[in-house]
Amino acid sequence: MTMLAEVVDVVIGVDTHKHTNTAAVVAASTGAVIDSMTACTDLGGHQALLEFAGNHGGLRVWAIEGANGYGAGLARCLAERGEWVVELDRPKRANRRHGAKSDPIDAVRAAREALSREHLSEPRSDGERQALAVRLAARRLAVDSSTDTQRQIHGLVVVAPEQLRSKLRGKTTAEMLKICSRLRVDPRWDVATRETALVLRCLARRAINLAEEAREHERAILHLVRAWRPDLLDNCGVGPIVAATVLCAWSHPGRVRSDAAFAMLAGTAPIPASSGMTIRYRLNRSGDRRLNQAIHTVVVTRMRVDPETRAYVERRRAEGKTDREIKRCLKRYVTRQLFRQLEHHTA
């Protein structure tokens, strides 16, 4: 495989923050530090970094930490100008030598890590993927907030005065929200009962509004998925949320080099843990856990409603496999199927 040092003359590592970006120019052939600078994260700062890079001639590549986080603006600006950009994860604290930490040190480390990597990662794309990512984040926050609010209501009902608790005893959550949202305060109630009723009404209306907001986000996600990749929705077990999660992780053709790499990204590829004459694999707990959850949803749905999957499960059970092992096999199969469909745009 061609090493990065054989392709470019310099690597520009960038340590990104909310207000500043620090870049360090490293010679690709030796790893020596040539120069460094810090610039603001606005358009003027991005232009200053480009001019700074232009002062060091030759072919170059930008190694940016958090290209879809703090470095999103810089990565977008560089891509528009035809620059080669690769993405790096932020290092774990234990990986820093002797705890050394500063922006120039981190920028140099980013450049040298890019030189040492066997496979380079491209930043995820904007456009449809970014639109889906924003909608997914907003929906997830609305769902989580609605769930927390419902838990608060259940907790208040347990300790509520009997005038209120008698109205809500034995009701489902949906019925409880409907009743609480229409509560009227009786002036004859004591202060604790009045305040509890007011809080229950406020919380119930908030939970209902958040649930409606989540449904609105889901409708928008369905519209975006149908406009971009409607073929994903033809797969059994793939709904708009699962499809959007998969698309956000995959991003664009060529970003993930193979279905095995996509399985590692999804956390569905088993980790070899063999030693001597023993051959075994560990469960992969790394990768994109939301993508892993989406694939798990597809597998569970197919095991329940898809005849071919149910037949496969029965056949593997007859071979002595446990349900957990069968699910792992199915996750790997679904990952491979989705990746090939995404790359080749075939149903």
Side-chain angles (χ1 to χ4, degrees):
M1 177 174 291
T2 303
M3 299 298 293
L4 186 60
E6 301 175 7
V7 180
V8 298
D9 299 309
V10 294
V11 180
I12 305 174
V14 184
D15 181 42
T16 59
H17 294 279
K18 184 176 182 180
H19 300 295
T20 61
N21 292 323
T22 300
V25 181
V26 172
S29 57
T30 63
V33 181
I34 300 175
D35 200 356
S36 66
M37 76 163 291
T38 299
C40 296
T41 55
D42 56 13
L43 202 56
H46 299 162
Q47 187 61 38
L49 286 178
L50 279 168
E51 293 174 0
F52 164 74
N55 295 331
H56 305 280
L59 298 175
R60 60 177 177 262
V61 61
W62 298 74
I64 301 179
E65 287 185 348
N68 286 101
Y70 284 142
L74 177 60
R76 189 180 301 115
C77 179
L78 295 174
E80 291 172 354
R81 287 159 176 77
E83 297 284 333
W84 183 11
V85 180
V86 298
E87 182 180 16
L88 299 174
D89 296 330
R90 292 193 177 277
K92 294 182 180 178
R93 190 178 299 274
N95 292 340
R96 298 191 183 114
R97 185 178 181 182
H98 306 306
K101 172 80 175 76
S102 73
D103 293 349
I105 289 175
D106 286 347
V108 172
R109 184 209 54 78
R112 288 174 176 167
E113 183 178 339
L115 284 171
S116 66
R117 282 197 174 184
E118 184 178 359
H119 301 289
L120 299 174
S121 175
E122 297 179 19
R124 284 168 287 187
S125 62
D126 283 334
E128 294 95 339
R129 192 215 65 83
Q130 182 64 19
L132 282 174
V134 170
R135 283 290 186 176
L136 280 175
R139 176 190 174 274
R140 185 163 54 249
L141 179 60
V143 170
D144 292 343
S145 300
S146 178
T147 303
D148 289 341
T149 304
Q150 291 173 30
R151 292 195 187 103
Q152 291 176 339
I153 291 174
H154 279 282
L156 281 176
V157 169
V158 171
V159 298
E162 186 59 30
Q163 293 98 317
L164 299 174
R165 195 174 181 186
S166 60
K167 298 180 180 180
L168 303 171
R169 186 179 286 111
K171 303 296 183 181
T172 64
T173 301
E175 293 171 341
M176 194 178 296
L177 290 177
K178 186 176 180 179
I179 294 172
C180 289
S181 66
R182 299 176 179 177
L183 278 176
R184 292 184 179 181
V185 178
D186 191 332
R188 294 172 297 178
W189 290 345
D190 60 83
V191 62
T193 306
R194 290 199 306 269
E195 294 302 319
T196 303
L198 289 172
V199 171
L200 284 173
R201 186 173 65 188
C202 177
L203 291 176
R205 290 176 178 178
R206 181 191 305 171
I208 291 172
N209 291 335
L210 286 169
E212 178 56 34
E213 179 186 339
R215 287 190 291 270
E216 178 61 31
H217 288 308
E218 186 167 349
R219 287 191 288 268
I221 289 169
L222 176 60
H223 177 74
L224 289 169
V225 170
R226 283 176 173 170
W228 185 13
R229 291 300 299 267
D231 55 302
L232 285 180
L233 299 175
D234 295 333
N235 292 300
C236 179
V238 178
I241 304 304
V242 169
T245 304
V246 172
L247 285 169
C248 285
W250 169 75
S251 181
H252 59 273
R255 177 176 179 266
V256 184
R257 63 184 180 275
S258 65
D259 68 279
F262 191 62
M264 285 297 294
L265 175 64
T268 58
I271 305 298
S274 302
S275 178
M277 301 295 292
T278 303
I279 299 176
R280 61 178 181 175
Y281 296 89
R282 284 197 188 99
L283 178 64
N284 190 342
R285 299 187 183 277
S286 61
D288 187 334
R289 303 316 298 173
R290 293 194 181 100
L291 176 59
N292 185 280
Q293 183 182 19
I295 293 174
H296 177 80
T297 301
V298 176
V299 169
V300 171
T301 303
R302 291 187 181 184
M303 290 177 68
R304 189 176 67 250
V305 303
D306 183 46
E308 292 184 6
T309 304
R310 291 170 65 90
Y312 172 83
V313 170
E314 294 302 324
R315 186 169 68 252
R316 299 293 278 179
R317 280 176 182 163
E319 296 173 359
K321 295 288 186 181
T322 64
D323 285 354
R324 180 174 295 181
E325 292 171 331
I326 294 170
K327 286 180 181 178
R328 291 177 187 172
C329 294
L330 286 171
K331 281 185 179 183
R332 183 66 181 88
Y333 169 80
V334 170
T335 305
R336 183 185 302 113
Q337 181 193 37
L338 290 174
F339 175 78
R340 291 178 179 177
Q341 182 173 347
L342 288 167
E343 288 291 312
H344 303 293
H345 210 305
T346 56

